[in-house]
Each structure stands twice: as structure tokens, then as C-alpha cells.
Amino acid sequence: MASDVPMSPELEQIDGEIHDIFRALQNGFQKMDKIKDSNRQAKQLEDLTARMKECKRLIKEFDRILKDEESNNPPEVNKQLNDRKQYMIKELNSYVTLRKTYQSSLGNNKRVELFDMGTGNSEPAPEDNIQLASAMSNQQLIDAGREQMNQTDQAIDRSKMVVAQTIEVGTQTAAALTQQTDQMKRIGNELDSVHFSLKKASKLVKEIGRQVATDKCIMALLFLIVCGVIAIIVVKIVNPHNKNIRDIPGLAPPAQNFQISNRRLLWAETFRGF
């Protein structure tokens, strides 16, 4: 696969080295069919495994530089570079599978984990991440073990951070719930106070209503009494000879009755003089 993706000089150099390794792997596996001696086949397989290990290191370096330059590249270029990286990983995995086939035919079952491309789509299948033990030195095995331990420690630290964040969120949620509960209690107490005030106001309104009704009855009664007194006075003035109506105490007799009585007294004194 010829690369026409725009790259920085460093990425272009790594891409060229990986391309050379792929070509060497292709030629090496073609020679495997021509080798009849099993020892020479094992030696050739070890050499191809070393080349695949170097290819894996270069792909990691390519991915590291790609991440460093990602912010400076447009999205289209980043996508093309990621596609190029995926192609490299698939190509390498195909050679790993091919090596596995030759290894099985040689009857060599000593395997150790080799390729760890990280998580996601770029991670090779577990059965492809193997390498002959004879191709790795003790120091390489120790370094691989330390790297695995470091990754495990980092995963544990991330888990601890997630747990701490979860506990903090839970504490904040509990505090918020406590505040809301107290607020609901205060609202309930205020509602009880308002209900009591409404009851008291209702009783006061009823009492005032009864007092107003009583005052109206008294005013109506007084009005009737006044109207009756006025009616009697009017009737006595208009019809003073009506004996069915008694004189009202404190009210002077009609002026006509007073004049008749005076005339009667005058006549009586006149007859007495004769």
C-alpha cells in the first residue's frame, strides 16, 4: 500500500521503515516454503519474529508522534493518518497469524505475549500476541513484566479516582437531600401555622357576623318603635277626639280642648255672679 497521506518528516521516515520491514517479512515467509530443514526454518522464524517486534515498536512510535501532532493537523489529515496506522496494524497481524501457522507446523508450543497495541480497534487479537521465548532475552522479559505491572498500577489508580469521585458525589447528594428534607419540614410547619391562622380568622369573621346581625335587629326594633310613636302623635293631632288612642305621657293636650275648658269655667263664674 503506497502512502499518499501528507506526513511530517519524522512520520514519513517511520512509515518508510515499516514498509521496508513488511517487504522483508513478505520475502522471508516466501523463503520458508523453500527451506526443508526444520532447524533452519526455526532460525528463519526467529529472525522474522524479531523483525515483527521491531515493526511493533515502530508502530507504537508512529502512534505517539501522531498523537503529539494531532492538534496541529486538520481533521481530514488526522483521519488519513489513523487509517494508515490501522492498515499497519492489520498488516502486522496478518504476518503474526502466518508465523503462528509455521510455528504450529514446527511443533514449538513455547509462547509469550508480545503485541499489545492498546485498547480499541487497534488491539490485535489475543491469539496473535505471541512470540517465541527464544526470541526474547531475560531483560526483555523483565521489561515486559514491569510494563505490565505499571499498566496495572495505573488502572488501579484510575479505579481509585473513580471510587473517590463516586463517594464525593454521593456525599454531596446526601447533603442536598438532607437540606431538602429540612426545607420540606419547615414548609410543613409553616403550612400548619397558616392553617391555624385561617381557622382563627374564620371564627372571628363568624363572631363579627353574629354581632352585626344582632346590631341590625336592635336597629330595626328601634326604628319600628320610633315609627310607632310618630304614627300615634300624628293620629292624635289629626283626630284628637279619638278615645281609642290614649294620651302619650308628657304630650300636651290639643289646643282646642284647652279653649273649651276655659269657656266652661268662664260661664260658670258668670252665673255665680248673678
Side-chain angles (χ1 to χ4, degrees):
M1 178 180 176
S3 175
D4 56 354
V5 181
M7 300 181 186
S8 64
E10 192 172 3
L11 286 177
E12 189 173 359
Q13 180 181 356
I14 295 175
D15 182 75
E17 293 178 4
I18 293 174
H19 181 70
D20 293 339
I21 292 176
F22 285 158
R23 185 166 51 189
L25 289 173
Q26 183 179 5
N27 295 332
F29 280 110
Q30 288 177 354
K31 291 180 181 179
M32 285 288 294
D33 296 332
K34 300 178 182 180
I35 299 175
K36 303 301 180 181
D37 184 56
S38 59
N39 291 328
R40 291 182 59 190
Q41 285 183 345
K43 182 64 177 177
Q44 178 71 10
L45 194 60
E46 289 179 5
D47 182 64
L48 294 175
T49 302
R51 289 180 179 273
M52 285 187 282
K53 182 179 178 181
E54 177 64 16
C55 184
K56 171 216 170 183
R57 185 189 66 79
L58 291 173
I59 291 176
K60 282 188 174 182
E61 184 68 14
F62 186 92
D63 183 61
R64 183 187 66 80
I65 298 174
L66 176 61
K67 290 180 179 179
D68 292 339
E69 298 179 355
E70 188 174 8
S71 59
N72 299 327
N73 296 330
E76 296 79 7
V77 175
N78 288 330
K79 184 178 184 303
Q80 292 177 358
L81 291 175
N82 281 314
D83 292 341
R84 178 64 178 171
K85 183 186 71 174
Q86 293 297 326
Y87 163 75
M88 295 175 184
I89 294 173
K90 290 180 181 179
E91 189 76 8
L92 179 59
N93 285 337
S94 66
Y95 288 117
V96 171
T97 304
L98 186 60
R99 180 192 56 79
K100 180 181 176 182
T101 303
Y102 282 101
Q103 180 180 334
S104 299
S105 65
L106 291 174
N108 191 342
N109 296 324
K110 296 180 180 180
R111 304 175 180 181
V112 294
E113 183 177 350
L114 170 62
F115 298 107
D116 182 16
M117 297 298 179
T119 58
N121 296 329
S122 63
E123 184 176 1
E127 61 270 13
D128 294 337
N129 296 338
I130 55 179
Q131 180 187 11
L132 291 175
S134 59
M136 298 181 66
S137 64
N138 292 334
Q139 185 62 38
Q140 290 174 336
L141 292 173
I142 292 173
D143 293 340
R146 288 178 177 175
E147 182 179 359
Q148 189 67 27
M149 291 176 63
N150 291 334
Q151 293 177 357
T152 303
D153 292 338
Q154 292 176 2
I156 292 174
D157 292 338
R158 289 193 297 268
S159 301
K160 288 181 178 179
M161 291 178 60
V162 172
V163 171
Q165 291 175 358
T166 303
I167 293 175
E168 183 178 359
V169 172
T171 303
Q172 294 176 356
T173 304
L177 289 175
T178 302
Q179 293 178 357
Q180 292 179 358
T181 302
D182 295 338
Q183 186 176 3
M184 292 296 293
K185 288 181 179 179
R186 289 194 297 270
I187 292 174
N189 294 333
E190 291 176 358
L191 288 176
D192 292 338
S193 300
V194 172
H195 184 64
F196 176 76
S197 299
L198 288 175
K199 280 187 175 181
K200 189 174 181 180
S202 178
K203 291 181 179 179
L204 183 60
V205 169
K206 290 181 180 179
E207 184 177 355
I208 292 173
R210 287 194 296 267
Q211 292 179 357
V212 170
T214 303
D215 293 341
K216 287 183 178 180
C217 292
I218 294 173
M219 293 295 294
L221 183 59
L222 292 175
F223 179 74
L224 292 175
I225 294 173
V226 171
C227 290
V229 171
I230 292 173
I232 293 173
I233 294 173
V234 171
V235 171
K236 288 294 289 183
I237 294 174
V238 174
N239 190 6
H241 299 289
N242 191 348
K243 300 300 183 180
N244 295 327
I245 300 177
R246 299 178 57 184
D247 294 335
I248 299 175
L251 184 62
Q256 186 176 2
N257 292 339
F258 178 73
Q259 294 176 357
I260 294 171
S261 299
N262 289 336
R263 290 176 181 175
R264 290 177 179 175
L265 291 174
L266 181 58
W267 280 100
E269 290 178 359
T270 303
F271 284 114
R272 288 178 183 173
F274 291 105

